[in-house]
Amino acid sequence: MITLLAGVIGAVWGGVLAKKRGGKGLDIAQYAAGFGIAFSIAALLTLTILRLILS
């Protein structure tokens, strides 16, 4: 659930950032996808590391 939430937050942030930089529709989609994937992976790695440390 946390990784999904992180992915959505990343996608929104990427889309807003691309829009602010004057990107067209495909630019916004690419930024949203890239940021969403990156945030999801970061959340997944964080959860994995915490689970290893705390168990």
Side-chain angles (χ1 to χ4, degrees):
M1 191 67 172
I2 292 174
T3 55
L4 180 64
L5 180 63
V8 170
I9 291 171
V12 170
W13 189 1
V16 169
L17 183 64
K19 181 84 169 168
K20 187 192 291 188
R21 292 183 178 179
K24 304 285 189 236
L26 290 177
D27 297 324
I28 295 169
Q30 183 178 4
Y31 265 72
F35 273 67
I37 291 169
F39 275 50
S40 293
I41 291 172
L44 185 62
L45 288 175
T46 301
L47 289 174
T48 304
I49 291 169
L50 286 174
R51 177 168 258 177
L52 289 173
I53 290 172
L54 297 177
S55 60

